[in-house]
Amino acid sequence: MSENMHGNRTQVVTTRLRQMIVAGDLAPGQRISEREIGEHLDGISRTPLREAFKILAAEGLVTISPNRGASVTALSMAEVEDTIELLVGLEGLAAEPACARISEQDLAAIDELHQRMGAAYRAEQLMEYFELNQAIHQHIVDAAGNRVLSRVYAAECARIRRYRYAGNRRHERWDRALAEHQQILGALKARNGSLLRELLCAHHHNGWQISRALVEREFAADATVAS
Amino acid sequence: MSENMHGNRTQVVTTRLRQMIVAGDLAPGQRISEREIGEHLDGISRTPLREAFKILAAEGLVTISPNRGASVTALSMAEVEDTIELLVGLEGLAAEPACARISEQDLAAIDELHQRMGAAYRAEQLMEYFELNQAIHQHIVDAAGNRVLSRVYAAECARIRRYRYAGNRRHERWDRALAEHQQILGALKARNGSLLRELLCAHHHNGWQISRALVEREFAADATVAS
DNA sequence: TGCCGGCAGATTGCATGCAATCTTTGCCCA
DNA sequence: TGGGCAAAGATTGCATGCAATCTGCCGGCA
């Protein structure tokens, strides 16, 4: 099956490492030894691995220290908050054009995601719920039709994904978040840009208030491990 | 002086290549052969070069095609416009917090940049004027105190720097731009965030109207070369 | 003349070897 | 016993070699 493997080892390991970091399989701050991870990933050699590290470093997912190699980037609380503030701002920028430009087809697609998120909520499937939630927000941003905005939004989401996920472990807020999403969808369908912007902003504000404590606890745990 | 060169070749060539691309020494679309550029840059070997390419690709400055190597990313007009729209949006996001948080020291620093930009205008030094202009906008964004916002803004600026520069070749608008900057500085000093946001938005809108034709001509020229 | 197949040169993708640097261990001495 | 130093082992940084792929050219054929 995998006979012809010339030309995409770097690509493959970059994607796998990115997934592992974003999903939290590798803990923040954890050192990644070239040889060690290489043997763990199909016995890949060091060259494509090193290239993957450089890419992920440019994305902010790993940090490279000279002569000391790569480690999973450990963000500070301040950095996570700055990033979330930016993400909210970006969604705000997307709101008006998204309302103006979104197609019926994309509206239906988001609607379906919303339905599936509701199902995940009822089944109490955390991961599924979380990913659908993220997907909905990404789709709204995409609807604005600005490729660069979409790319930046996706990249910054990935960078802090692990931390936000930690902040969603408790589902106390899920029902309220669902209701807010319902409103958001309504504003989008009504093509009311300014309302959509306010709803999105409030949605994140509410969400972050709850998540924050959990994320802080996560930070404390990481600090313990790291010491 | 440069005896001990172990451990930063990748870093060095990445920086040099980035400068060359951003400044336009390498034309958009131009293929970059590993061996060729390696010999041109101190006879560096291919390994650090390839790592540099991966980094610059992640930044969007070069494009890597499988088995065909790296080339300077050639942006479409739409991509440049999307990026500028995003940059304006980001400045808009920065306006309020910048007004709220900027220190007298940073205000003075921006003021000095503004003075120097005026001097460059009178001396008709295009490059100097352009760079000071960019620096002022970056400082305003930085003043908002959101590191992530600053980083994203800087990265996207770099990506389209070459195109914007092309749009500034004519200095018909320089005097008006200077006057607008004066107003912008005033709003910042008065800590009037909403006014600052509007001024910034109008400033870019005006500027882009003028630049656009020149950038389009540049595109036409590039297309001719590329064909 | 125009098109297609295939061969040769060039180029990229990856593995590996060597040198420089870092880390750890263990010894010596106070 | 504790601190400091040195040497060995481990790890990264880079150069280079080889295999896979691409590009361009040339001859053959319709």
Side-chain angles (χ1 to χ4, degrees):
Chain A
M1 54 178 193
S2 58
E3 293 302 309
N4 190 351
M5 285 299 286
H6 190 84
N8 54 356
R9 278 166 164 75
T10 299
Q11 182 79 295
V12 168
V13 301
T14 303
T15 303
R16 279 189 71 178
L17 282 174
R18 188 187 292 115
Q19 283 176 345
M20 290 171 76
I21 294 170
V22 160
D25 297 341
L26 298 169
Q30 180 177 336
R31 176 105 168 266
I32 314 177
S33 155
E34 293 176 358
R35 203 167 307 264
E36 188 180 338
I37 199 77
E39 283 170 11
H40 192 265
L41 263 53
D42 301 327
I44 205 87
S45 93
R46 292 172 54 221
T47 303
L49 261 176
R50 288 176 56 78
E51 294 183 354
F53 286 162
K54 301 291 184 187
I55 293 170
L56 296 172
E59 292 175 9
L61 292 173
V62 316
T63 303
I64 297 179
S65 320
N67 290 317
R68 306 209 29 219
S71 53
V72 181
T73 299
L75 298 178
S76 66
M77 191 69 184
E79 244 172 311
V80 174
E81 293 204 88
D82 279 0
T83 306
I84 286 181
E85 196 181 313
L86 174 63
L87 289 174
V88 175
L90 292 177
E91 287 189 27
L93 292 176
E96 300 259 11
C99 282
R101 310 188 49 187
I102 193 167
S103 67
E104 292 300 324
Q105 196 175 349
D106 287 335
L107 264 178
I110 293 178
D111 215 330
E112 199 219 318
L113 290 172
H114 181 67
Q115 300 305 325
R116 284 169 55 194
M117 196 176 84
Y121 164 66
R122 286 185 291 279
E124 297 199 0
Q125 294 177 326
L126 172 60
M127 180 62 95
E128 185 81 359
Y129 171 89
F130 181 73
E131 292 198 345
L132 287 166
N133 191 337
Q134 298 264 98
I136 289 172
H137 286 278
Q138 181 74 51
H139 271 246
I140 293 174
V141 171
D142 291 348
N146 184 323
R147 301 286 191 96
V148 182
L149 174 61
S150 286
R151 179 172 49 73
V152 170
Y153 183 85
E156 296 305 318
C157 269
R159 248 167 43 83
I160 62 163
R161 186 182 186 284
R162 189 198 178 291
Y163 298 92
R164 294 175 105 183
Y165 182 68
N168 267 262
R169 284 253 159 70
R170 296 284 176 81
H171 54 265
E172 301 155 358
R173 212 190 82 83
W174 288 13
D175 53 348
R176 182 159 168 205
L178 259 183
E180 287 172 6
H181 268 220
Q182 190 84 51
Q183 287 187 292
I184 287 167
L185 222 72
L188 197 55
K189 283 177 183 166
R191 299 182 182 278
N192 187 337
S194 57
L195 175 61
L196 177 59
R197 188 170 58 231
E198 282 183 34
L199 288 174
L200 285 169
C201 187
H203 175 62
H204 284 291
H205 187 72
N206 295 339
W208 182 238
Q209 291 289 81
I210 307 292
S211 301
R212 192 195 171 100
L214 285 171
V215 175
E216 263 170 353
R217 199 188 306 169
E218 191 81 2
F219 268 105
D222 284 349
T224 307
V225 170
S227 66
Chain B
M1 55 177 190
S2 58
E3 293 301 310
N4 190 352
M5 285 299 286
H6 191 85
N8 56 355
R9 276 165 166 76
T10 299
Q11 181 80 292
V12 168
V13 301
T14 303
T15 303
R16 279 189 71 179
L17 281 175
R18 190 187 292 115
Q19 283 175 345
M20 290 171 76
I21 294 170
V22 160
D25 297 341
L26 297 169
Q30 180 178 335
R31 176 105 168 266
I32 315 177
S33 154
E34 293 175 0
R35 202 165 310 261
E36 188 181 337
I37 199 77
E39 284 170 11
H40 192 266
L41 264 52
D42 302 327
I44 204 88
S45 94
R46 292 171 54 219
T47 303
L49 260 177
R50 288 176 56 79
E51 294 182 353
F53 285 162
K54 300 292 185 188
I55 294 170
L56 297 172
E59 292 175 9
L61 292 173
V62 316
T63 303
I64 298 180
S65 320
N67 289 316
R68 304 208 29 220
S71 54
V72 181
T73 298
L75 298 178
S76 66
M77 190 71 185
E79 246 171 311
V80 174
E81 293 203 89
D82 279 359
T83 307
I84 286 181
E85 197 180 312
L86 174 63
L87 289 174
V88 175
L90 292 177
E91 287 189 26
L93 291 177
E96 301 259 12
C99 282
R101 309 188 54 194
I102 193 167
S103 67
E104 292 300 324
Q105 197 174 348
D106 287 335
L107 264 179
I110 293 177
D111 216 330
E112 200 219 318
L113 290 172
H114 181 66
Q115 300 305 324
R116 285 168 55 194
M117 196 176 84
Y121 164 66
R122 286 184 292 278
E124 297 199 359
Q125 294 177 327
L126 172 61
M127 180 63 95
E128 184 84 0
Y129 171 89
F130 181 73
E131 291 199 345
L132 287 166
N133 191 337
Q134 299 264 98
I136 288 173
H137 285 277
Q138 181 73 52
H139 271 247
I140 292 174
V141 171
D142 292 347
N146 184 323
R147 300 288 191 96
V148 182
L149 174 60
S150 286
R151 179 172 50 73
V152 170
Y153 183 86
E156 296 305 318
C157 269
R159 248 166 43 83
I160 63 162
R161 186 182 185 284
R162 188 197 177 292
Y163 298 93
R164 294 176 107 182
Y165 183 69
N168 268 262
R169 285 252 157 74
R170 296 284 176 80
H171 55 265
E172 301 154 358
R173 212 189 81 82
W174 288 13
D175 52 349
R176 182 156 168 205
L178 259 182
E180 288 173 6
H181 268 219
Q182 190 84 50
Q183 287 186 291
I184 287 167
L185 222 74
L188 198 57
K189 283 178 183 165
R191 298 180 184 278
N192 186 335
S194 58
L195 175 61
L196 178 59
R197 188 170 59 231
E198 281 184 34
L199 288 174
L200 285 169
C201 187
H203 175 63
H204 284 291
H205 187 71
N206 294 339
W208 183 237
Q209 292 289 81
I210 306 292
S211 301
R212 191 195 174 100
L214 285 171
V215 175
E216 262 170 353
R217 199 187 307 170
E218 192 81 2
F219 268 106
D222 284 349
T224 307
V225 170
S227 65

